[in-house]
Amino acid sequence: MLEIRGITQRFGGITALEDISFSVAKGDITGIIGPNGAGKTTLFNIATGIYSQTKGQIFLDGVDISRIPAERLARRGLVRTFQNIELFGTLTVLENVMLGLHTQSRCGMLACMTKMPWHIAEERRIRTKAMVLLEFCGITNLADQVAGSLPFGKGRLLEIARAMATAPRIMLMDEPAAGLNNRETNELALLIRKIRDAGVTVVLVEHDMELVMDICDRIVVLNLGQKLAEGTPREIQEHPAVIAAYLGEG
Amino acid sequence: MKRLLLPIITFALLSIWAGSCLAASTIKIGALFSVTGPPSFLGEPERNSAKMVVDEINAKGGIKGKKLELVVYDTQGDATKAVQAANRLIKEDKVVAIIGPSTTGESMAVLSVAEKEGIPLISCAAGSKITDPVKKWVFKTAQNDGLAVTKIFEHLNKRKINKVAILTVSDGFGASGREQLKAHAAKFGIQIVVDDTYGPKDTDMTSQLTKIRGSQAQAIVCWGTNPGPAVIAKNVKQLGIKLPLYMSHGVSSKKFIDLAGDAAEGIILPSGRVIVADVLPASDKQKKSLVAFVKDYQKHYKAEGDHFGGHAWDAIMLLKGAIERGGDTPAAIRDQLEKTRGFAGIGGIFTYNTADHAGLAKDAFVLVQVRNKDWALVK
Amino acid sequence: MACLKQRNMGLSDQIAQYLVSGLSTGAIYALIGIGFAIIYNGTEIINFAQGEMVMLGGMFTLFGLDVLKLPLPVAILMAVTLTTLSGVLFERLTIRPLKSPTPLSLVIITIGGSILIRGIAMLVGGKDTHAIPAFSGSDPLSIGSATILPQHLWIFALTVIAIVLNKLFFQYSITGKAMRACAANRRAAGLVGIDVRRMVLFSFAISAGLGSLAGIIVAPLTMTSYDVGVMLGLKGFCAAIIGGLSGGLGTVLGGLLLGVLESLGAGLISSGYKDAIAFIILLLILFIRPQGLFSRAQTERV
Amino acid sequence: MNREVYKFLVLVAIVLLCPLAVHEGYILNVLVFVGIHTMLALALNLLLGYAGQISLGQAGFFGLGAYISGILTATHGVNPWLAMGEGAVVVTLLAFLIGFPILKLKGHYLAMATLGLGIIIYIVFNEAVDQTGGPSGLSGIPNLSLGGIIFDNDLKNYYLIWTFVLLSMGLALNLVHSRIGRALRAIHDSEVAARVMGVNARLLKVQIFALSAGLSAVAGSLYAHTMTFVAPASFGFNFSVELVTMVIIGGLASIYGSLLGAALLTLLPELLRAFQDYDIIVYGLLLIIMTMYMPGGLVKGVPALFSAIRSRLKRKPSAHA
C-alpha cells in the first residue's frame, strides 16, 4: 500500500536518511523503531509532504506522492499524528474534530458568509459525524472544552479522533505512546487495533518496545539514517544487528 | 489606560464647554493648517502668523468692539482630516469664516464643504484651480503659481533663452508648478526639453541633473520646497553644471540659503516681497505691511517671517476688512470680501471681484537672486 | 563655451555619472542596511525604528554643533553615544518586557517606537530641515567624466570599516559568536549559558550606534530633519533584504545594486517612479529569492 | 449562537437610533468616517487577526477602490454603483493574483513586502497625473444615489455607510463562525497540523487576503463618493499603520473589536485636538503600550482589567478586617 523507495535526505552537510526502502502492506500495523536521531520523524515529515526529500520516491497505492504537498495528501487518505501533539489550542475539542472533516465539506467563502441553507445543513452533518468520532475515541464528554486545556493523554486521543475524521486509509503515528502512563498506553493499544479493524493501515514510530512488539505485524529498524533490519516482531527480536545496535544498549 | 483616558475626555469636554460660553461676545474664525505632516513648513508659519495677528487685533480692541477667536485644527496635510475638521469648524464651533487649508489638495477637498454650508473660505494654497473657475464662497491669498511662472519666463525671454529643463517635486506644490510651466511655455516661445520630477524626500538628484546636462537645455527651472531644491543646488554644483538655475517661490526664505550654502549663489527665483522688505523703495505700497509683519514675527517667534505665514496674515486682514465694512455673518463677510479693492498685504495687492477670487496680479512677485548669502532684487 | 561642451556629452558619459551617483547613494543604503542586519542576526527582529536611529544621529550632531557649539568630532562622538543610549533604552523599555514576542507584535512595537521617536524629535527639534557642514569641503572630485563629493568618500570608507569590523566582531570575538548563536537558536544558546537578553541588548546598542554614525555621515548630503529616517530606513531595509540580511558584503552589494538601479531608473526610465523601482525590486527579490541575491538556498523547514 | 444574533441586533438598533441622539451635525460627520474606518479595520482584522497575516499596505487597496470609483465616475461618467462594483472586483482579483507570491512570505518579510506594495500603489496615485490628478487630487466625484435619493448630506451618508458596515460585519461574523473561520483559527494555532488535516492553508490565506482587499476597496468607493474628492495623501503608509493600530487596539480576531478600535481611533484625534502637535506621540505610545500590556485589545483587555479590579476590591475589605 505504502512503498518507500530509496529515500535520501540531507540537511546541509548532514545526511539524515540514506537510501531507505521498505513497504507497508494494507491492513498491517507497521512499527518503525530506532534510537534517537535515527531519522524516524524525518521520514514521516517526508512522507507527509512537510519536507521534500533529496532523493527517492514514496508511492501510495502505486502513485508517487513524494512531491505532493501536505494538504493534498489528506484527500488521498494519508494522515498523521505528531510527536508533541499538535492540537488547535483555541478551538474546542469538537471543533478540532470538525476541522478534521474539512475536506469532507465544501462550502465556499460566499456560501459561508451568506449562511446559505446548504451551508447550515453541511455544518450539521459534520457536527454529527464529529460526535461519532469523539465517541470512537471515548472523549465525548470533553466535546465543549477548549483543546488547549486538555491533559496530555486526552489530547493524544483527540489528535487520533481528529486524524480519523479525515477518513484515512493509512495513518502515520509519531510516537503515540510518548508521555502516556501505563493505563493510557494500554488503552492506546486497544484503540490502534480498533483503528486497524476499521480498515485503516497504521504505521507508527515508537520507543515503547513493549507496545511495538505487542501490536505490530511488521517492524522496520532504522539506525543513523540507515535501515538496519525489517521483519516480524519475533524476527527483529532475534536479529543480531538489532540486538547489537539497539536492544543491547538497553 | 483608563486612568489616562478620563482626564483627556474631561479636558476636551471642558475646553469645548469653555469655547461655547465665550461664543456670544466674540467672532469665531476657523483655521485649517497642516501644522504637522509633510506640509508643516506651510502650516506652522501660517498658524503662527494667524495667531499673532488675531492677538494684535484683539489687543487693539477687536473689530467693532467684538473680539476675534481663532480655532485652529491641524490637518496633517491629509484631505480626509481637513474635511472632518472643516465640518467640525462649521457645525460645532459655528465659525463665520475659515482660513486655510495649507495645500491645494486639501483646499480642493474642503471647498465643497464650504460651498455646501455657505461659509466663506480663504485658502492659503497656491493652486490656481482653487478659484478657477470661481466658486461663490471660496477665495485665496497665496499667489497663483501661474504668476510665478510668468515672472520666470519673462526673465528667460529677456536673456534670450528658449530651451529649458524643468525639475519639479512630486507633491502638490510641484505638480501644480509643473502644470503651469507646461501651460505657459508656448506663450513665451519656450520649449521644455527635459521634464523630470523628484520625490519630496529624495536625497540625491544627480541622475536627473545628469540627464539635463546631456540635453539641449539652456536653463534649469526647479519647482519645490525645502529641502529638495537645496539638494539640487548642491548637486548642480557637484556636477559642474553652469546653466542658469531658477527656483520657485517655494524656497523664498533665508532657510534655503542656509541649507544650500555656497551652492545657492546666483540662483534666481520669483518671490513675494516679504524677503526683501527692507530694501524696497519707500514708495512701495506693501512696504508698511511687510515691515510690520516681519518685525512682529521676529518678536513673537524669534524666526524669520516668510511669505507662507504671510498668506495667513493676509487672510485674517482681509476678513477683518470685510467684517468692518459689512458685518459678522458668513453671507455679509463673503459679499464684502468680494468687494475688497487694493488691499496691500504681504502676498501683494489684493483686488477681488465676481470674476476673480485670487485677487493678485503678476506684480505680486518680484524676481530675487541670491548674492553674498542674501536676497537681492533683480531689476 | 561650457554649454557647448556639455551638450556634446555622450550617453556613455551620462551612464558613467549614473553609475557613480548610484554607487554613492547605494553606499548610504548599505550602511543603513547593515544596521538592520545586525539586529536581525542577533535577535531575528526587524527593527522598524532603525531609520529613526539614523535620524537621531543627524539630529544629535546638529544639536551639538548649533546649540552646544561643540567642534564637529566632539559633536559626532556625543551623537553616537546618545543614539546608542536611545537604542538601549528602546530595547529595555519595549522589547525586553515582552512576555511572548511574536513577529507580529515585534513589528508593531518597533513601528510604534519609530512613530514615538519621530514625534519626540519633531517636538524637541522642530519641523525644519537643517544643514550640517561637509566633513572636508564640498569641492567636487572627478572620476573620469563623472564627479562625486568628498563626503561620498567618507561614506565609502565608513562602509568598508563597518563590514570589516562587523566581520571581525561576529567571527572572532566571544560576544559576537554568542550573538550569532542566539540568532541561530535562542533556547540552545540559553542552555549553554549565554545571556540571551544581554545579547539582544547588545544588538540594539551596536545597530543604534552604527545607524547614528550612518545618519551623521550622510547628513551633509541629505540634510537632516525629524522625518529623514523614514525613507532612508526603508531603503536601507531593501538593501538588507536584497543582500539576504547578511551583516557583511551581501548587504553592501545589495545597497550598491539598489542605488545603481535607482539612479539608472531615474535617469533612463522615469524619475517619478524611481522609488517604485526600488520597491518593485524588493518585491521581486522577496518573491523569487527570499534568501537574498547573494546567499545560498536553505532547505525550508516548517 | 443565539447570543450572537442578539448582540448583532442590539448593534443594529444602536446604529439606527444614533442620529436621533446626536444633534450636532458634526458628530454625524465623524460617525460617517467611523463607519468607513470600521469597514477597513474589519477587512484588515480578517487578515491580521483571523489569518494571522500582517499587511502594512492596506491603505493601498483602500485607495485603489477610491480612485477606480472616482476616475470611472468623474472622468468617464460611469454609474457610481457600477464603478463601486468594478473597483471591488478589480481589486479583489489583483489581490488574489498578488496574494500567491506575497503570502508565501512570513513575519517581517511579509510586513515589508506589503509595505512595499502599499508604497508602490501610493506612488502610482501621485505619478499617474493624467488619470489620478496627481498629488493635488481628483475632484468632481458624484454622490451615490438610489431611487431618487441622493446621498449628499451627513444623515443620508450615515445611513448609507452604516448599512454597508452592518452588512459587512454580519457577513464577517458568519464567515468566522463557519468552516472557513474554523480553518483560519486552526492555521493560526498550528499551520502544519492544519495542512495535514487537508486544509489548503495557502489558498485560504490568499482568499482572505483578496476578500480583505475587496472589502477595503468597497470602503474606498464609499469614501470617494461621500467626500466627492480624493487625494493620495489619504492613502499613504501612515494610514496603513493607523489601520493596524485600530485592529490592535480594538482586539485581534474580534469583529466587534474592529468597530471599537475604529471608533476610538477616529474619535481620539477629535479629543486630542486639545493636544495639537502631541497626537503623534500619543499614537506611538498607544501602539507600544497596547501591544505590550493588552495584546488582546480593548475587547478582551477591558473585561480582564475590570475583573482584576473587582478581585482587588474584594480583597481590600478583608485586609481591613
Side-chain angles (χ1 to χ4, degrees):
Chain A
M1 171 153 201
L2 185 75
E3 192 187 347
I4 312 281
R5 200 185 285 168
I7 288 290
T8 300
Q9 176 73 15
R10 295 197 183 90
F11 294 117
I14 302 154
T15 305
L17 290 171
E18 184 149 24
D19 198 21
I20 305 291
S21 302
F22 63 91
S23 52
V24 173
K26 190 169 162 53
D28 266 4
I29 298 176
T30 306
I32 301 175
I33 59 172
N36 280 329
K40 299 164 306 213
T41 298
T42 307
L43 188 63
F44 263 28
N45 281 339
I46 294 170
T48 50
I50 292 167
Y51 290 173
S52 44
Q53 72 277 25
T54 318
K55 245 192 293 182
Q57 290 139 315
I58 295 172
F59 293 91
L60 180 64
D61 287 334
V63 181
D64 183 359
I65 58 160
S66 51
R67 300 283 171 193
I68 295 179
E71 55 267 27
R72 284 220 297 255
L73 288 174
R75 289 173 200 268
R76 290 175 174 270
L78 185 142
V79 73
R80 71 171 287 184
T81 65
F82 294 85
Q83 189 177 338
N84 316 305
I85 51 172
E86 290 268 348
L87 293 173
F88 306 122
T90 60
L91 273 59
T92 65
V93 167
L94 180 66
E95 282 177 322
N96 263 276
V97 181
M98 283 169 80
L99 192 101
L101 292 158
H102 189 80
T103 52
Q104 293 156 59
S105 54
R106 45 191 31 78
C107 275
M109 206 158 274
L110 280 177
C112 287
M113 281 199 286
T114 48
K115 260 199 171 165
M116 287 298 164
W118 58 87
H119 169 251
I120 295 171
E122 188 181 85
E123 269 301 278
R124 198 171 299 139
R125 181 172 60 79
I126 61 173
R127 183 178 296 267
T128 320
K129 218 164 168 182
M131 287 308 290
V132 172
L133 285 159
L134 285 181
E135 175 131 33
F136 181 85
C137 295
I139 45 175
T140 314
N141 54 331
L142 302 174
D144 292 325
Q145 273 198 33
V146 174
S149 66
L150 287 186
F152 197 82
K154 298 294 178 194
R156 182 72 76 192
L157 292 177
L158 172 57
E159 206 189 16
I160 293 171
R162 188 181 68 182
M164 282 301 285
T166 65
R169 289 182 299 142
I170 181 163
M171 188 188 294
L172 310 185
M173 304 173 96
D174 197 350
E175 299 200 23
L180 301 190
N181 60 30
N182 270 340
R183 194 175 49 80
E184 287 171 332
T185 308
N186 290 338
E187 284 171 16
L188 179 75
L190 284 176
L191 184 58
I192 294 176
R193 287 214 176 87
K194 215 163 119 188
I195 290 169
R196 192 256 307 268
D197 295 343
V200 180
T201 309
V202 176
V203 182
L204 53 101
V205 161
E206 190 46 76
H207 276 301
D208 187 330
M209 281 309 135
E210 215 172 304
L211 177 72
V212 174
M213 295 302 165
D214 178 24
I215 61 171
C216 288
D217 301 306
R218 286 189 73 76
I219 294 175
V220 176
V221 187
L222 299 183
N223 189 25
L224 298 173
Q226 294 183 320
K227 189 173 93 175
L228 208 58
E230 185 183 354
T232 62
R234 171 150 311 171
E235 285 165 6
I236 293 300
Q237 273 167 323
E238 289 161 2
H239 200 290
V242 176
I243 295 168
Y246 191 113
L247 297 174
E249 281 175 21
Chain B
M1 185 58 227
K2 260 193 71 196
R3 221 179 283 165
L4 236 171
L5 207 62
L6 200 66
I8 292 176
I9 295 173
T10 323
F11 185 65
L13 287 177
L14 268 177
S15 55
I16 291 168
W17 173 76
S20 56
C21 281
L22 279 170
S25 59
T26 59
I27 302 169
K28 264 194 172 183
I29 294 172
L32 302 170
F33 293 131
S34 175
V35 182
T36 62
S40 61
F41 67 94
L42 298 170
E44 178 140 305
E46 282 165 355
R47 178 190 60 183
N48 289 350
S49 304
K51 275 191 169 167
M52 180 179 88
V53 66
V54 164
D55 286 346
E56 259 163 40
I57 291 172
N58 286 340
K60 286 178 192 154
I63 304 174
K64 290 199 214 162
K66 284 189 179 177
K67 301 256 183 208
L68 289 185
E69 189 197 341
L70 187 70
V71 187
V72 187
Y73 291 141
D74 178 13
T75 61
Q76 299 175 12
D78 180 353
T80 315
K81 295 201 168 74
V83 165
Q84 278 175 273
N87 271 299
R88 181 166 181 186
L89 282 176
I90 296 170
K91 291 171 188 163
E92 190 184 277
D93 298 314
K94 308 256 191 275
V95 299
V96 294
I98 298 176
I99 62 171
S102 311
T103 67
T104 305
E106 293 167 283
S107 302
M108 294 305 288
V110 167
L111 61 82
S112 65
V113 180
E115 285 287 295
K116 199 160 61 187
E117 304 291 337
I119 295 288
L121 176 82
I122 308 182
S123 166
C124 294
S128 44
K129 60 182 172 183
I130 297 170
T131 53
D132 178 25
V134 168
K135 285 121 201 132
K136 189 178 174 200
W137 295 91
V138 182
F139 299 81
K140 71 196 275 281
T141 54
Q143 305 94 334
N144 276 343
D145 294 323
L147 300 179
V149 168
T150 309
K151 209 78 190 169
I152 291 178
F153 282 174
E154 279 174 2
H155 197 247
L156 289 172
N157 277 352
K158 225 175 355 179
R159 295 171 83 170
K160 308 236 177 318
I161 288 173
N162 53 23
K163 289 195 174 69
V164 299
I166 65 172
L167 184 52
T168 58
V169 64
S170 56
D171 63 15
F173 184 78
S176 172
R178 183 173 170 215
E179 205 179 290
Q180 295 297 324
L181 284 165
K182 288 206 229 167
H184 287 78
K187 206 163 56 194
F188 290 87
I190 283 168
Q191 191 190 347
I192 293 172
V193 288
V194 179
D195 169 13
D196 247 329
T197 61
Y198 67 91
K201 291 276 145 221
D202 282 2
T203 51
D204 182 87
M205 282 64 131
T206 46
S207 297
Q208 290 94 323
L209 290 167
T210 303
K211 191 163 143 196
I212 291 171
R213 187 170 66 175
S215 76
Q216 302 278 313
Q218 298 159 317
I220 304 170
V221 180
C222 160
W223 216 265
T225 50
N226 288 328
V231 176
I232 289 173
K234 287 181 173 178
N235 288 162
V236 165
K237 194 180 166 214
Q238 177 197 337
L239 294 177
I241 298 175
K242 299 281 186 276
L243 303 177
L245 179 56
Y246 289 82
M247 294 273 170
S248 71
H249 53 300
V251 293
S252 76
S253 68
K254 266 277 167 53
K255 192 80 223 166
F256 171 69
I257 303 180
D258 289 347
L259 290 178
D262 297 342
E265 284 302 306
I267 289 173
I268 298 174
L269 52 92
S271 165
R273 286 175 165 73
V274 63
I275 56 170
V276 286
D278 45 345
V279 298
L280 283 174
S283 60
D284 195 293
K285 283 186 195 151
Q286 282 175 257
K287 183 150 184 169
K288 207 178 107 215
S289 301
L290 290 169
V291 172
F293 171 69
V294 171
K295 216 170 76 194
D296 285 352
Y297 202 92
Q298 184 70 38
K299 200 174 79 195
H300 279 86
Y301 301 108
K302 311 272 172 285
E304 200 96 2
D306 56 17
H307 68 144
F308 301 129
H311 300 328
W313 195 92
D314 287 345
I316 296 280
M317 292 305 276
L318 284 164
L319 279 177
K320 177 175 172 248
I323 295 170
E324 276 168 352
R325 289 196 300 275
D328 54 14
T329 65
I333 293 174
R334 191 216 81 88
D335 292 343
Q336 290 303 323
L337 271 178
E338 206 168 58
K339 289 179 189 145
T340 303
R341 300 281 183 273
F343 164 70
I346 307 299
I349 296 168
F350 291 86
T351 300
Y352 291 132
N353 58 50
T354 45
D356 180 12
H357 281 192
L360 293 173
K362 74 174 182 226
D363 62 4
F365 281 113
V366 289
L367 271 189
V368 296
Q369 188 169 31
V370 182
R371 281 183 213 144
N372 301 322
K373 306 216 160 184
D374 202 356
W375 301 106
L377 271 173
V378 175
K379 295 281 158 10
Chain C
M1 238 177 80
C3 289
L4 269 179
K5 211 183 98 204
Q6 276 163 12
R7 218 169 279 165
N8 293 335
M9 268 191 59
L11 190 65
S12 64
D13 285 350
Q14 275 188 43
I15 288 178
Q17 181 65 48
Y18 293 148
L19 289 177
V20 169
S21 293
L23 288 175
S24 34
T25 319
I28 299 178
Y29 299 159
L31 204 48
I32 297 165
I34 293 174
F36 275 102
I38 288 177
I39 292 199
Y40 184 80
N41 288 336
T43 61
E44 293 234 301
I45 295 171
I46 292 294
N47 181 12
F48 277 83
Q50 182 66 17
E52 308 316 321
M53 300 299 151
V54 175
M55 178 272 291
L56 282 181
M59 291 301 267
F60 280 134
T61 309
L62 184 82
F63 178 72
L65 286 176
D66 276 14
V67 181
L68 305 179
K69 309 285 179 206
L70 298 172
L72 187 65
V74 184
I76 291 177
L77 204 66
M78 181 199 77
V80 173
T81 316
L82 287 179
T83 313
T84 308
L85 280 177
S86 315
V88 167
L89 210 65
F90 179 60
E91 196 276 341
R92 282 306 272 268
L93 293 180
T94 64
I95 308 287
R96 183 170 294 193
L98 268 189
K99 283 184 204 94
S100 48
T102 61
L104 184 66
S105 62
L106 289 169
V107 165
I108 291 163
I109 283 192
T110 55
I111 286 180
S114 84
I115 295 175
L116 185 65
I117 295 172
R118 207 181 315 143
I120 295 173
M122 182 186 83
L123 284 178
V124 177
K127 294 160 201 156
D128 278 337
T129 306
H130 304 274
I132 285 179
F135 295 1
S136 41
S138 55
D139 294 326
L141 310 167
S142 300
I143 304 176
S145 54
T147 49
I148 58 170
L149 294 172
Q151 195 67 26
H152 288 128
L153 297 182
W154 281 96
I155 295 173
F156 286 121
L158 183 64
T159 311
V160 172
I161 294 170
I163 341 177
V164 173
L165 285 183
N166 192 36
K167 184 93 184 166
L168 291 176
F169 177 73
F170 281 103
Q171 216 65 301
Y172 299 107
S173 81
I174 304 257
T175 320
K177 284 183 191 165
M179 281 166 71
R180 266 172 44 212
C182 286
N185 189 334
R186 210 175 246 247
R187 249 188 66 190
L191 287 176
V192 298
I194 295 172
D195 185 346
V196 177
R197 297 165 93 196
R198 224 171 88 204
M199 295 306 137
V200 172
L201 190 67
F202 270 164
S203 313
F204 271 83
I206 295 173
S207 69
L210 188 67
S212 73
L213 212 53
I216 295 165
I217 208 157
V218 304
L221 295 172
T222 63
M223 295 181 239
T224 190
S225 65
Y226 76 96
D227 59 351
V228 80
V230 184
M231 219 26 171
L232 284 178
L234 287 177
K235 295 288 177 63
F237 186 72
C238 284
I241 291 276
I242 297 173
L245 281 165
S246 85
L249 210 56
T251 297
V252 174
L253 290 177
L256 296 179
L257 184 71
L258 183 67
V260 167
L261 286 176
E262 255 188 40
S263 167
L264 286 174
L268 300 176
I269 305 171
S270 156
S271 48
Y273 285 100
K274 182 174 69 88
D275 288 338
I277 293 171
F279 286 105
I280 288 171
I281 295 170
L282 172 83
L283 283 185
L284 286 179
I285 285 173
L286 284 175
F287 291 170
I288 300 163
R289 280 185 71 88
Q291 74 276 20
L293 279 186
F294 310 109
S295 52
R296 280 183 306 137
Q298 287 180 334
T299 313
E300 189 195 352
R301 298 189 186 205
V302 179
Chain D
M1 202 59 227
N2 265 336
R3 244 187 98 199
E4 285 294 332
V5 176
Y6 283 130
K7 248 197 318 196
F8 191 71
L9 286 178
V10 169
L11 177 70
V12 172
I14 293 173
V15 167
L16 278 177
L17 296 177
C18 213
L20 297 180
V22 176
H23 299 297
E24 296 269 15
Y26 147 74
I27 305 247
L28 213 52
N29 178 264
V30 175
L31 289 177
V32 168
F33 285 100
V34 170
I36 291 173
H37 291 168
T38 302
M39 284 177 76
L40 291 167
L42 181 64
L44 180 61
N45 209 341
L46 287 175
L47 186 68
L48 189 62
Y50 289 94
Q53 308 298 305
I54 193 168
S55 166
L56 292 176
Q58 210 65 6
F61 296 125
F62 173 52
L64 275 180
Y67 267 104
I68 292 176
S69 220
I71 293 169
L72 282 179
T73 51
T75 317
H76 302 286
V78 176
N79 177 296
W81 293 105
L82 209 64
M84 179 187 287
E86 231 166 288
V89 170
V90 169
V91 173
T92 308
L93 282 179
L94 184 81
F96 190 73
L97 290 179
I98 209 153
F100 279 98
I102 221 169
L103 289 169
K104 226 167 43 178
L105 304 166
K106 291 193 164 71
H108 314 296
Y109 289 97
L110 180 65
M112 199 61 206
T114 49
L115 192 160
L117 185 67
I119 292 183
I120 293 171
I121 297 176
Y122 176 75
I123 292 174
V124 172
F125 293 157
N126 262 305
E127 293 296 327
V129 179
D130 293 340
Q131 281 79 43
T132 63
S136 8
L138 180 74
S139 48
I141 303 168
N143 285 118
L144 285 163
S145 60
L146 191 66
I149 307 168
I150 300 170
F151 295 94
D152 59 354
N153 67 25
D154 288 337
L155 188 67
K156 290 183 204 162
N157 276 324
Y158 173 87
Y159 281 114
L160 170 74
I161 278 163
W162 280 91
T163 309
F164 273 87
V165 174
L166 291 175
L167 203 66
S168 41
M169 282 179 75
L171 293 179
L173 279 169
N174 284 342
L175 185 70
V176 301
H177 289 115
S178 73
R179 66 186 280 269
I180 290 183
R182 198 159 54 225
L184 283 174
R185 281 181 289 151
I187 293 172
H188 216 297
D189 287 346
S190 165
E191 182 166 342
V192 183
R195 288 176 58 198
V196 168
M197 293 303 122
V199 176
N200 190 338
R202 183 132 170 248
L203 182 68
L204 210 53
K205 284 185 207 167
V206 173
Q207 282 178 329
I208 291 292
F209 186 64
L211 176 73
S212 164
L215 187 58
S216 306
V218 172
S221 254
L222 288 170
Y223 169 87
H225 292 297
T226 42
M227 288 269 291
T228 68
F229 173 87
V230 289
S234 318
F235 312 110
F237 173 55
N238 283 343
F239 190 60
S240 289
V241 173
E242 222 170 288
L243 289 176
V244 173
T245 318
M246 286 176 196
V247 173
I248 302 274
I249 286 183
L252 282 168
S254 159
I255 301 290
Y256 292 98
S258 310
L259 172 64
L260 191 65
L264 204 69
L265 241 70
T266 315
L267 295 170
L268 194 68
E270 303 297 322
L271 301 177
L272 288 183
R273 291 241 199 259
F275 290 78
Q276 292 272 357
D277 301 5
Y278 294 84
D279 67 344
I280 180 173
I281 289 191
V282 176
Y283 248 76
L285 273 178
L286 267 182
L287 262 185
I288 296 177
I289 292 172
M290 289 299 294
T291 317
M292 281 171 68
Y293 300 110
M294 231 185 239
L298 290 180
V299 164
K300 297 183 188 100
V302 169
L305 202 67
F306 272 123
S307 61
I309 291 170
R310 205 174 303 150
S311 66
R312 190 172 295 178
L313 286 181
K314 266 184 203 158
R315 241 182 294 144
K316 258 194 187 152
S318 63
H320 275 284

